[in-house]
Amino acid sequence: MSKRTVLTGITTTGTPHLGNYVGAIKPCIDASHEVGVQSYYFLADYHGLVKNRNPDRMRQSTLEIAATWLALGLDTDTAVFYRQSDVPEILELTWILTCSTAKGLMNRAHAYKAVVQDNTEAGEDPDFAVNMGLFSYPVLMAADILMFNSTHVPVGKDQVQHLEMARDIAQRFNHHYGEHFVLPEAVIDEHVAMLPGQDGRKMSKSYNNTIPLWLPEKQLRKAIMKIVTNSLEPGESKDPDASVLFKIYAAFANQAQRETMRQAYRGGIAWGDAKQQTFELINQELVQGRERYEALIGEPGRIEQTLIAGAEKARAYATPFLARIRDAVGIRKLV
Ligand code: TRP
Protein backbone atom coordinates (compact mmCIF):
# COMPACT_ATOMS: atom_id res chain seq x y z
CA MET A 1 0.00 0.00 0.00
CA SER A 2 1.33 3.40 -0.84
CA LYS A 3 1.98 5.81 1.98
CA ARG A 4 -0.22 8.84 2.55
CA THR A 5 1.65 12.09 2.31
CA VAL A 6 -0.35 15.01 3.62
CA LEU A 7 0.85 18.53 2.87
CA THR A 8 -0.55 21.97 3.36
CA GLY A 9 0.70 25.55 3.37
CA ILE A 10 -0.34 28.57 5.38
CA THR A 11 0.12 31.91 3.71
CA THR A 12 1.93 34.35 5.98
CA THR A 13 -0.32 37.35 5.73
CA GLY A 14 -1.93 38.61 8.87
CA THR A 15 -2.70 37.20 12.26
CA PRO A 16 -4.18 33.73 12.83
CA HIS A 17 -7.93 33.83 13.47
CA LEU A 18 -10.64 31.46 14.65
CA GLY A 19 -11.45 30.48 11.06
CA ASN A 20 -7.86 29.36 10.47
CA TYR A 21 -7.95 27.43 13.70
CA VAL A 22 -11.13 25.53 12.98
CA GLY A 23 -10.60 25.10 9.25
CA ALA A 24 -6.93 24.21 9.08
CA ILE A 25 -4.74 24.38 12.15
CA LYS A 26 -6.71 22.10 14.46
CA PRO A 27 -7.43 19.32 11.92
CA CYS A 28 -3.81 19.37 10.72
CA ILE A 29 -2.39 19.18 14.21
CA ASP A 30 -4.72 16.31 15.05
CA ALA A 31 -3.60 14.57 11.87
CA SER A 32 0.05 15.05 12.82
CA HIS A 33 -0.53 12.62 15.70
CA GLU A 34 -1.86 9.88 13.43
CA VAL A 35 0.47 7.04 12.61
CA GLY A 36 1.25 5.93 9.10
CA VAL A 37 0.93 9.42 7.65
CA GLN A 38 3.83 11.61 6.64
CA SER A 39 2.77 15.21 6.99
CA TYR A 40 4.38 18.38 5.68
CA TYR A 41 3.13 21.71 7.01
CA PHE A 42 4.79 24.89 5.96
CA LEU A 43 4.66 28.67 6.17
CA ALA A 44 4.07 29.88 2.62
CA ASP A 45 6.01 33.12 2.90
CA TYR A 46 6.67 33.43 -0.84
CA HIS A 47 2.92 33.25 -1.32
CA GLY A 48 2.55 35.87 1.39
CA LEU A 49 4.85 38.17 -0.56
CA VAL A 50 2.33 38.39 -3.40
CA LYS A 51 0.07 40.56 -1.27
CA ASN A 52 2.24 41.75 1.55
CA ARG A 53 4.78 44.46 0.75
CA ASN A 54 5.46 45.35 4.35
CA PRO A 55 8.70 43.64 5.50
CA ASP A 56 7.93 43.96 9.21
CA ARG A 57 4.49 42.51 8.75
CA MET A 58 5.93 39.60 6.75
CA ARG A 59 8.23 38.71 9.61
CA GLN A 60 5.58 39.27 12.28
CA SER A 61 3.05 37.10 10.51
CA THR A 62 5.57 34.28 10.08
CA LEU A 63 6.41 34.49 13.77
CA GLU A 64 2.76 34.49 14.88
CA ILE A 65 1.72 31.62 12.66
CA ALA A 66 4.70 29.45 13.60
CA ALA A 67 4.14 30.18 17.31
CA THR A 68 0.48 29.28 16.91
CA TRP A 69 1.14 25.85 15.42
CA LEU A 70 3.76 25.08 18.04
CA ALA A 71 1.62 26.37 20.93
CA LEU A 72 -1.23 24.16 19.85
CA GLY A 73 0.93 21.08 20.05
CA LEU A 74 2.09 20.29 16.53
CA ASP A 75 4.38 17.28 16.81
CA THR A 76 7.48 18.40 14.92
CA ASP A 77 9.15 15.03 15.38
CA THR A 78 6.63 13.37 13.12
CA ALA A 79 5.44 16.29 10.98
CA VAL A 80 7.92 18.21 8.84
CA PHE A 81 7.30 21.87 9.73
CA TYR A 82 9.21 24.45 7.71
CA ARG A 83 9.26 27.82 6.07
CA GLN A 84 8.89 27.69 2.30
CA SER A 85 11.73 30.16 1.71
CA ASP A 86 14.16 27.91 3.61
CA VAL A 87 13.77 25.26 0.93
CA PRO A 88 15.21 26.87 -2.23
CA GLU A 89 14.51 23.72 -4.23
CA ILE A 90 10.86 24.77 -4.27
CA LEU A 91 11.67 27.88 -6.27
CA GLU A 92 13.84 25.94 -8.70
CA LEU A 93 11.02 23.53 -9.25
CA THR A 94 8.66 26.48 -9.73
CA TRP A 95 10.59 27.65 -12.77
CA ILE A 96 10.83 24.17 -14.24
CA LEU A 97 7.07 23.77 -13.82
CA THR A 98 6.44 27.27 -15.16
CA CYS A 99 7.91 26.06 -18.43
CA SER A 100 5.40 23.18 -18.49
CA THR A 101 2.42 25.35 -17.62
CA ALA A 102 0.04 26.74 -20.22
CA LYS A 103 -0.51 30.46 -19.86
CA GLY A 104 -4.13 29.81 -20.74
CA LEU A 105 -4.47 27.67 -17.62
CA MET A 106 -3.31 30.56 -15.46
CA ASN A 107 -5.71 32.94 -17.20
CA ARG A 108 -8.53 30.86 -15.77
CA ALA A 109 -7.44 31.09 -12.11
CA HIS A 110 -10.28 32.49 -9.97
CA ALA A 111 -8.07 34.80 -7.92
CA TYR A 112 -6.56 36.43 -11.02
CA LYS A 113 -9.89 36.58 -12.83
CA ALA A 114 -11.55 38.27 -9.87
CA VAL A 115 -8.99 41.10 -9.95
CA VAL A 116 -9.36 41.48 -13.71
CA GLN A 117 -13.12 41.66 -13.34
CA ASP A 118 -12.94 44.29 -10.59
CA ASN A 119 -10.56 46.34 -12.73
CA THR A 120 -12.80 46.07 -15.76
CA GLU A 121 -15.84 47.12 -13.78
CA ALA A 122 -13.92 50.08 -12.39
CA GLY A 123 -12.94 51.12 -15.92
CA GLU A 124 -9.25 50.42 -15.27
CA ASP A 125 -6.79 48.50 -17.39
CA PRO A 126 -7.69 44.81 -16.86
CA ASP A 127 -4.24 44.05 -15.42
CA PHE A 128 -4.05 47.12 -13.21
CA ALA A 129 -2.00 46.29 -10.06
CA VAL A 130 -1.61 42.65 -11.09
CA ASN A 131 1.92 41.43 -10.47
CA MET A 132 3.39 38.26 -11.92
CA GLY A 133 3.33 36.73 -8.43
CA LEU A 134 -0.45 36.84 -8.42
CA PHE A 135 -0.61 35.49 -11.95
CA SER A 136 1.86 32.63 -11.32
CA TYR A 137 0.64 31.87 -7.81
CA PRO A 138 -0.79 28.47 -8.80
CA VAL A 139 2.57 27.34 -10.23
CA LEU A 140 4.38 28.08 -6.99
CA MET A 141 1.65 26.23 -5.15
CA ALA A 142 1.99 23.27 -7.54
CA ALA A 143 5.73 23.20 -6.80
CA ASP A 144 5.03 23.18 -3.04
CA ILE A 145 2.82 20.17 -3.49
CA LEU A 146 4.65 18.20 -6.16
CA MET A 147 8.04 18.61 -4.52
CA PHE A 148 7.09 16.16 -1.78
CA ASN A 149 4.93 13.85 -3.86
CA SER A 150 1.98 14.75 -1.70
CA THR A 151 -1.03 12.51 -2.05
CA HIS A 152 -3.49 14.46 0.12
CA VAL A 153 -3.77 18.23 0.44
CA PRO A 154 -6.20 19.60 3.03
CA VAL A 155 -7.47 22.98 1.82
CA GLY A 156 -10.49 25.25 1.97
CA LYS A 157 -12.99 25.17 -0.87
CA ASP A 158 -11.48 28.31 -2.34
CA GLN A 159 -8.26 26.39 -3.06
CA VAL A 160 -9.78 23.46 -4.93
CA GLN A 161 -9.10 25.01 -8.31
CA HIS A 162 -5.42 25.39 -7.38
CA LEU A 163 -5.28 21.69 -6.64
CA GLU A 164 -6.80 20.90 -10.01
CA MET A 165 -4.16 23.11 -11.59
CA ALA A 166 -1.41 21.31 -9.70
CA ARG A 167 -2.71 18.04 -11.13
CA ASP A 168 -2.85 19.50 -14.64
CA ILE A 169 0.69 20.79 -14.36
CA ALA A 170 1.95 17.45 -13.03
CA GLN A 171 0.19 15.53 -15.77
CA ARG A 172 1.58 17.72 -18.48
CA PHE A 173 5.10 17.31 -17.10
CA ASN A 174 4.71 13.56 -16.68
CA HIS A 175 3.36 13.23 -20.18
CA HIS A 176 6.40 14.92 -21.61
CA TYR A 177 9.22 13.76 -19.34
CA GLY A 178 7.98 10.50 -17.80
CA GLU A 179 6.16 9.64 -14.59
CA HIS A 180 7.91 11.76 -11.99
CA PHE A 181 5.09 13.41 -10.07
CA VAL A 182 2.31 11.92 -8.01
CA LEU A 183 -1.09 13.48 -8.69
CA PRO A 184 -2.34 15.11 -5.48
CA GLU A 185 -5.90 15.11 -4.23
CA ALA A 186 -7.66 17.91 -2.41
CA VAL A 187 -9.11 16.97 0.96
CA ILE A 188 -12.01 19.19 1.99
CA ASP A 189 -13.71 18.67 5.28
CA GLU A 190 -17.25 19.83 4.52
CA HIS A 191 -17.93 20.13 8.19
CA VAL A 192 -15.25 22.59 9.10
CA ALA A 193 -14.24 24.27 5.85
CA MET A 194 -16.18 27.51 6.37
CA LEU A 195 -16.40 29.26 9.69
CA PRO A 196 -18.49 32.40 9.31
CA GLY A 197 -17.16 35.68 10.62
CA GLN A 198 -18.92 38.27 12.77
CA ASP A 199 -21.01 39.44 9.80
CA GLY A 200 -21.96 35.96 8.58
CA ARG A 201 -19.69 35.85 5.52
CA LYS A 202 -16.75 33.44 5.50
CA MET A 203 -14.31 34.45 8.24
CA SER A 204 -11.50 35.92 6.20
CA LYS A 205 -8.87 38.63 6.29
CA SER A 206 -10.27 39.91 3.02
CA TYR A 207 -13.67 40.63 4.60
CA ASN A 208 -12.26 42.19 7.73
CA ASN A 209 -14.62 40.09 9.85
CA THR A 210 -12.15 37.89 11.67
CA ILE A 211 -11.78 37.14 15.35
CA PRO A 212 -8.05 36.81 16.09
CA LEU A 213 -7.19 33.52 17.75
CA TRP A 214 -5.07 34.87 20.58
CA LEU A 215 -7.06 37.84 21.77
CA PRO A 216 -6.79 38.32 25.52
CA GLU A 217 -9.83 36.92 27.29
CA LYS A 218 -11.68 40.22 27.68
CA GLN A 219 -11.25 41.18 24.07
CA LEU A 220 -12.26 37.73 22.90
CA ARG A 221 -15.49 38.12 24.83
CA LYS A 222 -16.06 41.53 23.29
CA ALA A 223 -15.48 40.19 19.79
CA ILE A 224 -17.97 37.39 20.34
CA MET A 225 -20.53 39.84 21.67
CA LYS A 226 -20.27 41.63 18.31
CA ILE A 227 -21.38 38.63 16.24
CA VAL A 228 -24.52 39.63 14.36
CA THR A 229 -27.84 38.17 15.53
CA ASN A 230 -31.44 39.13 14.76
CA SER A 231 -33.86 41.07 16.94
CA LEU A 232 -35.70 38.14 18.51
CA GLU A 233 -36.33 38.72 22.22
CA PRO A 234 -35.46 36.36 25.08
CA GLY A 235 -38.15 33.68 25.22
CA GLU A 236 -38.79 33.77 21.47
CA SER A 237 -37.75 30.58 19.69
CA LYS A 238 -34.65 30.93 17.50
CA ASP A 239 -33.55 28.93 14.49
CA PRO A 240 -30.06 27.53 15.15
CA ASP A 241 -29.51 26.70 11.49
CA ALA A 242 -30.03 30.31 10.46
CA SER A 243 -27.70 31.66 13.12
CA VAL A 244 -24.08 32.69 12.60
CA LEU A 245 -23.53 32.52 16.34
CA PHE A 246 -24.73 28.93 16.43
CA LYS A 247 -22.40 27.95 13.58
CA ILE A 248 -19.46 29.38 15.44
CA TYR A 249 -20.52 27.64 18.65
CA ALA A 250 -21.01 24.36 16.79
CA ALA A 251 -17.50 24.47 15.35
CA PHE A 252 -16.06 24.25 18.86
CA ALA A 253 -18.67 22.00 20.46
CA ASN A 254 -18.95 18.25 20.72
CA GLN A 255 -22.07 16.46 19.60
CA ALA A 256 -23.79 16.60 23.00
CA GLN A 257 -23.04 20.30 23.50
CA ARG A 258 -24.34 21.05 20.01
CA GLU A 259 -27.61 19.24 20.72
CA THR A 260 -28.12 20.99 24.04
CA MET A 261 -27.49 24.39 22.48
CA ARG A 262 -29.85 23.58 19.61
CA GLN A 263 -32.58 22.90 22.17
CA ALA A 264 -31.76 26.11 23.99
CA TYR A 265 -32.19 28.10 20.75
CA ARG A 266 -35.54 26.49 20.10
CA GLY A 267 -36.50 27.16 23.71
CA GLY A 268 -35.80 30.89 23.33
CA ILE A 269 -32.39 31.44 24.91
CA ALA A 270 -31.47 35.15 25.05
CA TRP A 271 -28.81 36.17 22.52
CA GLY A 272 -26.70 37.57 25.34
CA ASP A 273 -26.68 34.19 27.09
CA ALA A 274 -25.95 32.30 23.90
CA LYS A 275 -23.02 34.64 23.30
CA GLN A 276 -21.71 34.21 26.83
CA GLN A 277 -21.79 30.42 26.47
CA THR A 278 -20.09 30.64 23.10
CA PHE A 279 -17.37 32.76 24.62
CA GLU A 280 -16.87 30.33 27.50
CA LEU A 281 -16.64 27.33 25.22
CA ILE A 282 -14.08 28.94 22.90
CA ASN A 283 -12.08 30.46 25.70
CA GLN A 284 -11.83 27.15 27.49
CA GLU A 285 -10.48 25.50 24.37
CA LEU A 286 -7.85 28.18 23.88
CA VAL A 287 -6.79 29.04 27.40
CA GLN A 288 -3.82 26.67 27.64
CA GLY A 289 -2.61 27.29 24.13
CA ARG A 290 -2.77 31.04 24.78
CA GLU A 291 -0.30 30.71 27.63
CA ARG A 292 2.11 28.66 25.56
CA TYR A 293 1.70 31.08 22.68
CA GLU A 294 2.61 34.07 24.83
CA ALA A 295 5.71 32.24 26.04
CA LEU A 296 6.79 31.22 22.54
CA ILE A 297 6.30 34.65 20.99
CA GLY A 298 8.79 35.93 23.54
CA GLU A 299 11.40 33.44 22.31
CA PRO A 300 11.65 33.84 18.55
CA GLY A 301 15.09 32.18 18.62
CA ARG A 302 13.54 28.90 19.67
CA ILE A 303 10.98 29.09 16.88
CA GLU A 304 13.70 29.92 14.37
CA GLN A 305 15.63 26.82 15.43
CA THR A 306 12.58 24.65 15.03
CA LEU A 307 11.97 26.00 11.53
CA ILE A 308 15.59 25.50 10.49
CA ALA A 309 15.48 21.91 11.72
CA GLY A 310 12.26 21.40 9.76
CA ALA A 311 13.79 22.82 6.58
CA GLU A 312 16.71 20.40 6.91
CA LYS A 313 14.30 17.50 6.98
CA ALA A 314 12.38 18.89 4.03
CA ARG A 315 15.57 19.36 2.03
CA ALA A 316 16.72 15.83 2.77
CA TYR A 317 13.81 14.84 0.55
CA ALA A 318 13.74 17.79 -1.84
CA THR A 319 17.41 17.91 -2.82
CA PRO A 320 17.67 14.40 -4.34
CA PHE A 321 14.21 14.65 -5.83
CA LEU A 322 14.98 17.93 -7.55
CA ALA A 323 18.24 16.43 -8.87
CA ARG A 324 16.15 13.78 -10.55
CA ILE A 325 13.79 16.39 -12.05
CA ARG A 326 16.69 18.49 -13.33
CA ASP A 327 18.13 15.43 -14.96
CA ALA A 328 14.75 14.56 -16.45
CA VAL A 329 14.50 17.92 -18.22
CA GLY A 330 18.12 17.79 -19.37
CA ILE A 331 19.73 20.22 -16.97
CA ARG A 332 22.82 18.05 -16.62
CA LYS A 333 26.57 18.14 -16.33
CA LEU A 334 28.28 18.00 -19.69
CA VAL A 335 30.47 15.09 -18.72
N1 TRP B 1 -2.75 29.10 -1.33
C1 TRP B 1 -3.01 28.52 -0.05
C2 TRP B 1 -4.00 29.41 0.69
O1 TRP B 1 -4.07 30.58 0.45
C3 TRP B 1 -1.74 28.37 0.76
C4 TRP B 1 -0.80 27.41 0.12
C5 TRP B 1 0.38 27.71 -0.48
C6 TRP B 1 -0.98 26.01 0.03
N2 TRP B 1 0.96 26.56 -0.95
C7 TRP B 1 0.15 25.52 -0.67
C8 TRP B 1 -1.98 25.13 0.45
C9 TRP B 1 0.29 24.16 -0.95
C10 TRP B 1 -1.83 23.79 0.17
C11 TRP B 1 -0.70 23.30 -0.53
O2 TRP B 1 -4.70 28.92 1.54
Side-chain angles (χ1 to χ4, degrees):
M1 202 185 79
S2 64
K3 207 178 61 180
R4 262 169 89 100
T5 301
V6 177
L7 172 142
T8 200
I10 316 103
T11 310
T12 55
T13 41
T15 292
H17 56 71
L18 293 184
N20 301 140
Y21 174 77
V22 167
I25 307 173
K26 177 111 193 320
C28 286
I29 290 178
D30 290 348
S32 79
H33 298 289
E34 275 171 37
V35 282
V37 178
Q38 179 56 63
S39 37
Y40 292 88
Y41 300 133
F42 66 96
L43 306 163
D45 51 352
Y46 280 134
H47 280 105
L49 195 56
V50 170
K51 277 200 191 158
N52 190 349
R53 305 278 182 69
N54 179 324
D56 293 331
R57 244 195 292 135
M58 281 287 291
R59 183 251 177 208
Q60 183 63 20
S61 176
T62 303
L63 173 66
E64 289 180 8
I65 295 171
T68 296
W69 284 65
L70 297 172
L72 290 168
L74 175 70
D75 183 348
T76 53
D77 288 331
T78 52
V80 183
F81 185 56
Y82 56 100
R83 182 170 41 198
Q84 185 185 37
S85 60
D86 286 333
V87 183
E89 287 83 357
I90 294 170
L91 278 194
E92 260 190 84
L93 182 60
T94 301
W95 182 255
I96 294 174
L97 294 177
T98 297
C99 298
S100 287
T101 302
K103 174 173 177 285
L105 183 69
M106 297 299 97
N107 288 341
R108 289 195 289 277
H110 299 318
Y112 168 67
K113 271 172 59 178
V115 178
V116 169
Q117 191 185 339
D118 288 351
N119 282 338
T120 310
E121 278 165 14
E124 296 280 1
D125 183 276
D127 279 327
F128 175 73
V130 174
N131 60 47
M132 286 303 292
L134 175 69
F135 189 68
S136 312
Y137 189 106
V139 190
L140 176 58
M141 186 158 156
D144 289 330
I145 296 169
L146 301 177
M147 177 57 94
F148 298 99
N149 280 320
S150 320
T151 55
H152 297 81
V153 183
V155 283
K157 286 201 189 87
D158 56 333
Q159 297 293 316
V160 169
Q161 188 197 30
H162 289 152
L163 258 290
E164 282 161 8
M165 290 179 160
R167 290 172 66 94
D168 271 8
I169 293 170
Q171 261 167 329
R172 205 167 153 133
F173 185 98
N174 285 352
H175 179 72
H176 196 82
Y177 294 110
E179 294 294 315
H180 293 282
F181 295 121
V182 168
L183 301 188
E185 243 172 69
V187 183
I188 308 134
D189 189 333
E190 292 294 335
H191 200 60
V192 300
M194 278 292 191
L195 188 74
Q198 284 157 317
D199 60 354
R201 293 186 292 176
K202 177 189 174 180
M203 189 178 285
S204 160
K205 297 177 275 248
S206 3
Y207 295 142
N208 214 354
N209 64 355
T210 63
I211 301 179
L213 185 55
W214 302 122
L215 285 178
E217 213 166 287
K218 268 196 185 150
Q219 291 182 34
L220 176 64
R221 186 167 179 282
K222 251 195 185 160
I224 290 170
M225 292 296 158
K226 278 197 202 139
I227 296 169
V228 287
T229 52
N230 57 28
S231 56
L232 290 174
E233 298 287 338
E236 290 187 89
S237 177
K238 300 171 177 68
D239 179 4
D241 297 310
S243 162
V244 175
L245 183 65
F246 182 79
K247 283 198 188 94
I248 295 178
Y249 180 88
F252 287 84
N254 62 33
Q255 179 92 44
Q257 290 168 319
R258 259 200 295 270
E259 241 354 273
T260 308
M261 188 56 99
R262 200 174 265 288
Q263 297 303 329
Y265 270 61
R266 300 250 182 251
I269 189 174
W271 285 124
D273 294 341
K275 285 180 174 177
Q276 178 63 27
Q277 289 189 34
T278 303
F279 159 69
E280 282 167 14
L281 183 71
I282 296 178
N283 190 52
Q284 186 191 317
E285 173 143 346
L286 298 179
V287 76
Q288 281 184 343
R290 192 187 291 132
E291 241 173 66
R292 284 194 295 263
Y293 176 82
E294 295 300 341
L296 276 160
I297 275 286
E299 282 186 280
R302 239 175 85 195
I303 300 179
E304 182 65 31
Q305 264 178 8
T306 306
L307 291 177
I308 295 293
E312 269 170 30
K313 280 202 252 175
R315 296 189 75 188
Y317 187 92
T319 308
F321 185 62
L322 182 70
R324 178 177 145 194
I325 299 299
R326 288 170 61 122
D327 185 70
V329 300
I331 301 206
R332 299 176 185 152
K333 293 271 179 286
L334 296 180
V335 287

